[in-house]
Amino acid sequence: GVEGGKLVSSLSKYDFSKTEPDWRSDSVDTFAVSAEIMQNGDIAVFGDTKFAYYSEEGKLMGTYEYPYQLADFSAGVSNSAILLQREEFRKSTLVIINDVNNPITIELDKTAKAVYTAEKEVYVLTTDELIAYSFDGVKIDSIEVSDNHTGFVKIDDYIFFNGYNEINRTEFAG
């Protein structure tokens, strides 16, 4: 919707046996790109200019405004990760959100392509490596990768890299 000339997003929870929603959340001044319901029932909203975190009852718990351009995002069990691009410097920023009011920011000295939030760690794909971080922001491990990968999927201890014309698999527990 629009409030005061600004684009805003809000959430509504519906029970299709009723005619009215169970609840409507407060609006946030961003265009919602994705809303993810996490395993604990809370809701992570990834907007074009900011991240919003809601309780399962629709109460806004906090927001994080992006200082750079949104590149990718991922929601896990109860944590979220946001990848931001600083194209003029060819660098990226990883933001790990355990608590929306106290995000962990990691400056990467290279361009990152994708982020994935697993059960116990966050993975970042850059132009030349896949890096695993703990939710505390500590680098756990990394492996070298080729530049032709555009994304990846983690299944058990395997990483499946996808490119423009191929899919590769490697073992990486993180």
Side-chain angles (χ1 to χ4, degrees), residues 10-83:
S10 63
L11 300 174
S12 298
K13 179 182 178 187
Y14 286 93
D15 179 340
F16 290 109
S17 65
K18 301 176 186 175
T19 58
E20 294 296 318
D22 289 344
W23 53 257
R24 284 197 168 109
S25 70
D26 291 335
S27 298
V28 175
D29 59 335
T30 191
F31 173 73
V33 177
S34 180
E36 306 281 334
I37 299 173
M38 297 189 282
Q39 286 185 2
N40 64 1
D42 292 346
I43 305 161
V45 176
F46 300 94
D48 64 337
T49 59
K50 68 174 57 171
F51 170 84
Y53 189 83
Y54 291 89
S55 70
E56 63 182 319
E57 294 84 23
K59 181 181 178 208
L60 181 62
M61 305 302 286
T63 63
Y64 171 76
E65 190 165 346
Y66 310 143
Y68 311 111
Q69 181 180 355
L70 177 67
D72 197 17
F73 53 84
S74 176
V77 174
S78 62
N79 308 76
S80 298
I82 302 166
L83 192 58

Side-chain angles (χ1 to χ4, degrees), residues 13 16 21 24 41 50 53 105 118 131 142 145-146 152 158 167:
K13 179 182 178 187
F16 290 109
R24 284 197 168 109
K50 68 174 57 171
Y53 189 83
T105 304
I131 311 167
S142 66
V145 298
S146 69
F152 67 97
Y158 295 102
I167 297 175

Side-chain angles (χ1 to χ4, degrees), residues 120-162:
K120 297 179 182 176
E121 61 273 328
V122 175
Y123 294 86
V124 177
L125 177 64
T126 70
T127 53
D128 61 356
E129 67 181 329
L130 179 71
I131 311 167
Y133 291 96
S134 70
F135 287 123
D136 296 329
V138 177
K139 184 177 178 179
I140 300 169
D141 200 359
S142 66
I143 57 170
E144 289 185 26
V145 298
S146 69
D147 188 30
N148 63 347
H149 301 305
T150 57
F152 67 97
V153 175
K154 183 177 187 313
I155 301 173
D156 297 325
D157 287 344
Y158 295 102
I159 302 287
F160 294 87
F161 294 102
N162 56 309

